[in-house]
Amino acid sequence: MTSELSKAQLQRISGAVAPHRHTEVNQLIEWFELEELAKTEMDLAGSTSDKVYEILKTVDVKRRREIIQHLINEEAPLRIDVL
């Protein structure tokens, strides 16, 4: 079994857990020390869910899990329709 997620799966997860404000995404980048990747590897235009998608698709699987867990616990609990 692979731990890779499809683009559609990552987009759905991003939409479910993305914070509401762009400043919260910036804080997420700082919290996980992703500033350099944000400058060189990520396209951080668009909505907060677009930004979270860029972050999740760029980082490795271990970091991706940490970020998703953080967003579920701290920033944006899953909406009932996603459950």
Side-chain angles (χ1 to χ4, degrees), residues 1 11 21 23 31 39 42 57:
M1 184 171 143
Q11 288 173 329
R21 295 187 306 260
T23 56
W31 180 264
K39 291 177 188 174
M42 299 177 195
K57 81 171 192 173

Side-chain angles (χ1 to χ4, degrees), residues 19-32:
H20 296 290
R21 295 187 306 260
H22 294 276
T23 56
E24 292 170 335
V25 176
N26 295 336
Q27 290 170 346
L28 182 70
I29 290 168
E30 290 177 22
W31 180 264
F32 285 95

Side-chain angles (χ1 to χ4, degrees), residues 14-68:
S14 299
V17 299
H20 296 290
R21 295 187 306 260
H22 294 276
T23 56
E24 292 170 335
V25 176
N26 295 336
Q27 290 170 346
L28 182 70
I29 290 168
E30 290 177 22
W31 180 264
F32 285 95
E33 299 176 347
L34 302 172
E35 294 92 346
E36 192 60 38
L37 278 176
K39 291 177 188 174
T40 60
E41 303 289 328
M42 299 177 195
D43 176 12
L44 295 176
S47 67
T48 58
S49 63
D50 292 340
K51 291 177 181 187
V52 170
Y53 168 74
E54 280 294 317
I55 292 168
L56 295 180
K57 81 171 192 173
T58 304
V59 298
D60 62 41
V61 172
K62 181 177 184 259
R63 180 57 59 97
R64 183 182 299 153
R65 288 179 182 153
E66 292 171 358
I67 292 169
I68 291 169

